[in-house]
Each structure stands twice: as structure tokens, then as C-alpha cells.
Amino acid sequence: MKMARRRKTASLPIKRRKRRAVSKRKNRSAKSAKPQAAKEPYEDGYQIGHEEGYSRGYEDGTKQAEGQREDHSHSWESAERAGYEKGLKIGRYEGGDAIIDEQLPEAHVLPDTSVAQVIASGIAALGERIVHLLTAQQVAERLMEALEQRKPLSVVRLGDGELLTLAQESVLPTEQVRHEGGFLEYAGVKVPDIAARDRLLAAVKRADIVGIPKLRQPNYQRLATAVFQTYGIDFRSKVLTDSLVNYRLYQEGHLSRLMRGRRVLVIGNLAQPLAKVLAESGVTVVGAVAQVQGIHDVDRAMGEIRQHDFELALVSAGIAAVILADAIAAEMGRAAIDFGHMANSIVKGEAPIQA
């Protein structure tokens, strides 16, 4: 530190002497035209050299700074990767082998057996407790039967938004729902909203086919289990499917078959562009009910829906879609699918339709 201070103080007088010397030259050149003429080549050379030196120094400095930034970025990325890998390793142990270690009797080990093998054996032993979900093909067959026989059928889906709404002040405290469901207002629910919770619950209990998440994650299947148990919904008596059935119906080619030759009504914020794309693809679209502003806008939307003569409704209206699809089937005797973001995929051209 001391040496650094001496270098700094030694450099200051040099800089001051340079400025004074330049200043005197400028003053002498201002007094007489002759010296000015004599010094023009020097000044031109000085200016050119200064500019070239400055440019070269600026470029070198910029390159050096960029190199330092890249080194810093690589260092940060390496640290992040190392932290991720360490956390992944710990998580895998605690979520697998650690549980096996806890379950084994003292002074016993289970060599030559992987976590996957242990889980597979456990699932086989619990076979009678496994709940069957309808496949996309089975859902499509039930929809086709309903359309042909003009019978009501609702297919609704529960994602994290619907499950967090149902969990309000029953499974989870309001603050936790608000914290983990920051997107709920976008989906049509402003927490806390007990009236929305109760209306959604009634629709889920009445719906014909309910999609639930297969992923055993906190706000997905595990929350669905807690919600069903809290409200007395029996997994084994309720007709269930995968909550991604809206995508499966498209991917397996069932959606086009269901819409072919049917009068289709589209509902939700993308109703107008979706109707246009479907119509251009040969689907008979009889109407588009747009801008469903959350659960508390359901009654107004149903009033508009009742004005249309249709056979199949595709409902993409956030959490309100569950209530609308159920009401369309139960109150109007039609078939309705909670269509979700499948509408976005079609409008964006990511999922071409051939009716």
C-alpha cells in the first residue's frame, strides 16, 4: 500500500509540468505569427500521433475489458454449474437412497439394487392402489359418443392454478396460496376469493371427466391428492384423465375427427383468432365468445353462449373454463372441452388443423 501511494504522488508533478509546458507553447504561438508558422508541422504531427495513439489505446483497453468480462462470465457460469451439480447430487440422494437407508433395518444394506428397482418393486406391491386415468383415445371415444347421441359431456382439467384456488383456506393458508400463485389473477382469480373456490369446487364435483396432473410435484398431483381428500372427492369413483389431455387429443389426431362435420363454438380471449384459423382449416365455427374476465364473468359469458346453436364447445378461459365447460354440459346438454393453451398453439401455427 505504501509503495502504491509513492507511485501515485510521483506521477502528479509530471502531469502538471506537461500541462504547463503545453500552455507556454500555446502562449508563445499566440504572441507571434512566425513561431506559429514554424510550429505548425510539430502541432500537426502531435495531433495525428495523439489521435492514433488514443484510438489504439482505446481499442486495446476495450479488448482487455471484454476479455475480463468474458473471464468473469465464465467464472460465474462455472460456479453456477458446480453449485447446480452439487445440489442435484444431494437432492438425488435425499430423494432416493436416503429414504432407502432410513427404511432398512439397522446393520443391513441393500447392495446391487438401484433406487429405480426399489421404486418399481414398491409400485408393483401397491398395484391395487393405482388409479387408472382415461387415455386420450378413451376420452375421444366418450366425446364422440356424446356428440353422436347428442348427450352432455364435460372434460375439465386441473392444473396448479385450479388446485391453488381450491386449496384456499382449506388445504393451504391464504398467504401461501398468494405467494405460490402469483399468476392466479392473470388466470382469473384474485386471492383470497372463497366464492370462486366454492364455485370451482362445485364444477369439479359435477364434471363428467376431470383431468389431474400426473407429475408428483408439490402444486400438481400432490396438491390434487390433498384437495380431493379435503373435499371428499374419491379418486376411484371419479372419472379421471391426464390434465394434458387437451394436447393429447390433438397430438393423437382425435381433435380433427371430433370437429369434423360438427358445429363448433370457441370461447375465451383468443376466440376470434382461433375461430378464423379453424374456419380456414375447414371447421364449421358457428360463433366466438371472447373476453371472459375471470370466474365472476362466467354468468355473463353463459348468457352469450346460450345464444349460439352448437354441438361442441372449445373453452380457453383460464380457471373459468372449468366452470364454463361444466355449465355448458349440465345446463345446455352439449359437449365441452376445457381447451386451455391448445388454443394458443393453434393460433400461433404450432399445431396445424386439418378437419
Side-chain angles (χ1 to χ4, degrees):
M1 293 299 294
K2 287 181 180 179
M3 291 178 64
R5 283 198 293 271
R6 281 201 298 270
R7 283 198 298 271
K8 185 174 182 181
T9 54
S11 66
L12 287 173
I14 295 171
K15 290 184 178 179
R16 283 198 293 270
R17 284 197 296 272
K18 268 191 173 181
R19 285 199 292 270
R20 285 199 295 273
V22 172
S23 176
K24 287 179 180 178
R25 283 199 299 272
K26 286 183 179 177
N27 289 337
R28 285 197 297 270
S29 65
K31 289 178 183 177
S32 167
K34 270 190 177 182
Q36 183 179 5
K39 292 187 181 295
E40 280 178 358
Y42 172 83
E43 291 181 352
D44 289 345
Y46 178 87
Q47 185 67 23
I48 292 170
H50 178 273
E51 290 177 357
E52 289 180 354
Y54 178 86
S55 298
R56 178 63 180 271
Y58 181 86
E59 290 174 4
D60 290 347
T62 301
K63 289 177 181 177
Q64 184 178 359
E66 288 176 350
Q68 290 175 350
R69 280 199 300 270
E70 288 177 2
D71 291 342
H72 177 74
S73 175
H74 292 156
S75 176
W76 186 89
E77 289 174 358
S78 297
E80 181 189 33
R81 184 164 53 251
Y84 171 81
E85 290 172 355
K86 182 178 180 181
L88 181 63
K89 186 177 180 180
I90 294 171
R92 282 178 171 168
Y93 170 72
E94 293 184 350
D97 287 301
I99 298 173
I100 296 172
D101 288 342
E102 290 173 359
Q103 296 300 315
L104 285 170
E106 189 176 354
H108 286 73
V109 294
L110 187 63
D112 303 326
T113 306
S114 68
V115 172
Q117 290 173 317
V118 172
I119 293 173
S121 299
I123 290 174
L126 296 171
E128 61 182 17
R129 299 181 63 179
I130 294 175
V131 176
H132 171 69
L133 305 181
L134 294 183
T135 64
Q137 180 175 343
Q138 291 171 323
V139 172
E141 289 170 355
R142 296 197 182 200
L143 281 165
M144 185 61 74
E145 181 182 354
L147 289 167
E148 290 174 349
Q149 299 181 11
R150 298 183 179 277
K151 292 164 47 178
L153 185 71
S154 58
V155 179
V156 305
R157 303 174 307 107
L158 303 180
D160 54 346
E162 291 79 10
L163 292 169
L164 284 168
T165 300
L166 290 168
Q168 292 180 91
E169 296 187 14
S170 57
V171 179
L172 300 175
T174 299
E175 282 307 313
Q176 185 176 349
V177 172
R178 184 183 285 113
H179 175 72
E180 298 185 18
F183 59 91
L184 285 175
E185 190 166 352
Y186 163 79
V189 175
K190 188 173 182 179
V191 178
D193 193 334
I194 304 307
R197 179 199 70 184
D198 294 344
R199 191 164 187 183
L200 178 62
L201 176 61
V204 171
K205 286 183 173 181
R206 189 170 63 171
D208 298 300
I209 301 174
V210 178
I212 63 170
K214 285 191 65 179
L215 292 178
R216 293 173 61 89
Q217 292 183 352
N219 289 339
Y220 289 87
Q221 190 192 129
R222 285 168 57 188
L223 184 55
T225 300
V227 166
F228 276 36
Q229 289 174 344
T230 297
Y231 294 119
I233 301 173
D234 185 3
F235 273 99
R236 288 162 181 79
S237 61
K238 192 73 180 172
V239 180
L240 302 173
T241 187
D242 186 351
S243 59
L244 297 178
V245 68
N246 53 332
Y247 293 103
R248 304 277 187 262
L249 288 171
Y250 169 79
Q251 292 164 352
E252 297 179 18
H254 304 300
L255 182 61
S256 294
R257 185 166 57 89
L258 289 168
M259 294 190 296
R260 189 175 299 125
R262 308 291 177 185
R263 298 186 305 280
V264 177
L265 177 69
V266 292
I267 302 161
N269 293 346
L270 288 178
Q272 295 292 349
L274 177 61
K276 183 176 182 295
V277 174
L278 291 179
E280 290 173 351
S281 302
V283 177
T284 304
V285 181
V286 297
V289 177
Q291 300 300 322
V292 179
Q293 302 295 332
I295 286 181
H296 299 294
D297 194 33
V298 164
D299 293 334
R300 182 207 59 80
M302 280 301 300
E304 191 173 342
I305 290 168
R306 290 188 182 94
Q307 298 174 19
H308 297 276
D309 180 19
F310 62 94
E311 295 169 90
L312 175 64
L314 305 178
V315 190
S316 297
I319 296 171
V322 174
I323 300 172
L324 286 169
D326 167 66
I328 289 168
E331 300 172 17
M332 298 183 66
R334 312 293 168 80
I337 302 173
D338 177 356
F339 207 47
H341 282 87
M342 190 64 227
N344 302 62
S345 298
I346 293 173
V347 169
K348 290 178 181 177
E350 299 169 352
I353 293 292
Q354 293 181 347

